Amino acid sequence: EFRRVLFRSFTALAAGVARAATSAEALVAAFRWIAIAASLATLALVRSLVRRRAPAHEAFALVAYGLNPAVLLYGVAGGHNDLLVALGIVGGLVFLDRGRRVVAATAFALAALVKATAAVPLLLLLVAVAAAAGRGRRVRALAAPVGAASALLIAFAAPFLSRSDPTLGLAELATHEGWLAPSRFLRRILDVVGLGAFARIAFVLVLVLAVIVLARAVWRRGSDGVDDVGAAVSWGLLAMLLLAPVLLPWYAAWLLPVVWFLPRRATIAALGTSVALAVSLFATEPSRAGSAFDLNLLVGHWAITPAVVVLLVVVARDLVVRLRAGAPLGEERAADAEPSGER
């Protein structure tokens, strides 16, 4: 059974690494090397993509991801698989920039197999492909990318399907709530008047609504170009980061490689969130540093989370204003991008 499951998902990859490791130290080192390799590959792809689409933003794009402490201290040093998610997302956009929509959908599907977060970029890509194809050609345009992504998802997920939990653990995961999540902060405030449960439900509904609104914006735009899809994907990942019930520092790795697609205010909010998360876990062992741990909780609950809530409000307002005005989801960078004939 182990051999049948092996090589079918990140879980199987982790199982293979664990089986090959000779000690706990070797296991930790192996996952760190995987994270290092993924982060360097992501940087290379970011450099390639930003040089083609927005060369004036190259330095910013590389620093925002490559030197971000949330990525380095938590994602890479912690050996988290979020670096693989980032690699799949950026890889998908690079393939899309080269007109390879099927491969782009496959890359997003691979990222979604690591973490369901990447299902949002996959959905937005498929909406963009359908919108760009036009009436009467949409089924044909979607057949290949949907077929490739579906086949990949089914093949990898099949060994883990069960009647007791057809969601592959997502339903159970949705019941968790992180200590830094804005939804938890609002829930604790509303608990005073007995409306705490409303906050959790409201955040989930707003997240779903945000994805729907972004999909509608992509549809109305009618383009499957990498600038439009990349901006929508960036907004979707930012919404996932700020509205999801769990907020952890290494989650910033999903968004930071594509943060340069976002307009100025959303970019500042994304970077501000990453900075806040980078200092959110300076003490994690109450048995070794009890006072520091207590201070960590105090700062997290009453400084970091409120700051993230403020950034969430800024982001939401900016998105609503843009959509009402019919403005692009990303900054206009036509002067930066190379003419297609010169690529």
Side-chain angles (χ1 to χ4, degrees):
E1 177 66 18
F2 176 83
R3 291 180 181 179
R4 183 173 72 87
V5 173
L6 195 60
F7 303 122
R8 286 180 178 262
S9 68
F10 175 78
T11 302
L13 171 64
V17 173
R19 189 184 189 190
T22 57
S23 65
E25 291 79 7
L27 182 62
V28 171
F31 281 113
R32 280 178 177 166
W33 279 111
I34 291 174
I36 290 171
S39 64
L40 292 177
T42 300
L43 270 177
L45 292 178
V46 169
R47 180 173 179 268
S48 172
L49 183 59
V50 76
R51 278 194 168 187
R52 290 167 62 92
R53 306 309 311 169
H57 292 68
E58 181 180 356
F60 168 76
L62 295 177
V63 170
Y65 176 71
L67 294 181
N68 194 289
V71 175
L72 291 175
L73 299 180
Y74 296 100
V76 176
H80 284 283
N81 59 8
D82 300 86
L83 281 302
L84 293 172
V85 178
L87 178 60
I89 291 172
V90 177
L93 292 175
V94 169
F95 284 120
L96 180 63
D97 186 41
R98 287 160 172 75
R100 304 182 67 179
R101 299 172 183 82
V102 177
V103 185
T106 302
F108 287 159
L110 282 171
L113 284 167
V114 179
K115 280 196 174 177
T117 306
V120 172
L122 178 59
L123 171 64
L124 295 174
L125 170 63
L126 296 178
V127 171
V129 170
R135 186 176 300 176
R137 299 191 300 272
R138 287 168 182 152
V139 174
R140 184 176 180 180
L142 284 174
V146 170
S150 299
L152 190 65
L153 292 170
I154 292 172
F156 276 61
F160 306 102
L161 291 176
S162 66
R163 293 181 180 179
S164 60
D165 184 9
T167 67
L168 297 174
L170 290 179
E172 194 276 335
L173 181 63
T175 64
H176 293 264
E177 192 172 35
W179 71 290
L180 288 174
S183 61
R184 185 181 186 276
F185 178 77
L186 183 59
R187 178 174 61 81
R188 289 178 68 92
I189 293 177
L190 293 180
D191 275 340
V192 177
V193 292
L195 296 175
F198 171 78
R200 182 67 183 276
I201 297 173
F203 268 76
V204 173
L205 292 177
V206 171
L207 176 57
V208 173
L209 179 62
V211 174
I212 293 174
V213 166
L214 289 171
R216 183 171 179 268
V218 170
W219 181 268
R220 296 182 67 177
R221 188 79 173 177
S223 168
D224 62 352
V226 70
D227 286 327
D228 293 315
V229 175
V233 165
S234 302
W235 276 105
L237 293 173
L238 182 57
M240 287 289 294
L241 184 68
L242 296 177
L243 293 170
V246 178
L247 180 62
L248 293 169
W250 45 91
Y251 287 179
W254 313 332
L255 172 64
L256 292 173
V258 294
V259 72
W260 53 276
F261 278 106
L262 292 171
R264 183 177 180 83
R265 288 184 181 177
T267 298
I268 293 174
L271 294 177
T273 300
S274 71
V275 171
L277 293 176
V279 297
S280 65
L281 297 176
F282 59 83
T284 59
E285 294 291 341
S287 60
R288 296 184 178 181
S291 299
F293 182 79
D294 292 339
L295 178 61
N296 193 161
L297 293 179
L298 182 65
V299 171
H301 285 149
W302 302 109
I304 294 176
T305 302
V308 173
V309 171
V310 171
L311 294 174
L312 173 58
V313 173
V314 171
V315 166
R317 182 180 181 279
D318 187 51
L319 180 58
V320 170
V321 169
R322 284 181 168 273
L323 292 175
R324 286 181 175 177
L329 291 175
E331 294 288 3
E332 292 287 356
R333 293 189 300 269
D336 286 337
E338 300 177 2
S340 57
E342 297 180 10
R343 292 183 189 173

